[in-house]
Amino acid sequence: MSAAAPQLVLDYREGTVTGPAGTVRLEPKVMDVLAVLSRYSGHVVSRSDLLDAVWKDVVVTEATLSRCIYQLREGLREAAVGRRGGDFDAIETLPRRGYRLLVDVESSPDEIRVSGDKLFIELRRPHVLVGGLVLFVVVVAVVLAILD
């Protein structure tokens, strides 16, 4: 990593990355890709590891990952050096190997963990928790209504 590379700060709850040029909002899956790359900042992360970590049991094409990497590059460039930041690139592509994050990213270490060879993202998303709780309550109410 370059010593002159800007420091970026991730806010998983807000879905933003902040750098010297400002704050940029990222789509949830793009933020998830950044979370995995930041966990292994400076090291190569394979495309298959990224797909497994971010989409787990969902089947997606590599084009989906390529689109996320493109959006992530654009977002990091904007946060680091602005929209007209020239050829700044925070992510290195290593053909047939994967991707490597080239900038320092500050984030909470408890939000990403590794278990064996698998990557797991534990993003705190309150709206998902509330939605799951509401669904649970509705299912219980329906079951109780059927039993009565």
Side-chain angles (χ1 to χ4, degrees), residues 102-136:
L102 301 174
V103 295
D104 293 324
V105 178
E106 180 181 312
S107 62
S108 299
D110 63 335
E111 293 179 339
I112 306 169
R113 64 183 169 87
V114 181
S115 177
D117 293 334
K118 296 293 182 182
L119 307 172
F120 297 93
I121 301 171
E122 296 177 344
L123 301 180
R124 296 184 183 120
R125 293 188 181 146
H127 63 280
V128 173
L129 179 61
V130 171
L133 183 59
V134 168
L135 178 62
F136 175 75

Side-chain angles (χ1 to χ4, degrees), residues 26-31 33 47 51 54-55 60-75 91 99:
L26 300 173
E27 292 180 11
K29 288 296 184 188
V30 175
M31 186 62 123
V33 169
R47 293 178 70 86
L51 290 168
V54 175
W55 285 275
V60 296
T61 66
E62 287 197 6
T64 302
L65 176 59
S66 294
R67 181 190 62 81
C68 280
I69 293 290
Y70 172 80
Q71 290 178 332
L72 183 54
R73 281 186 167 121
E74 293 298 308
I91 301 171
Y99 300 98

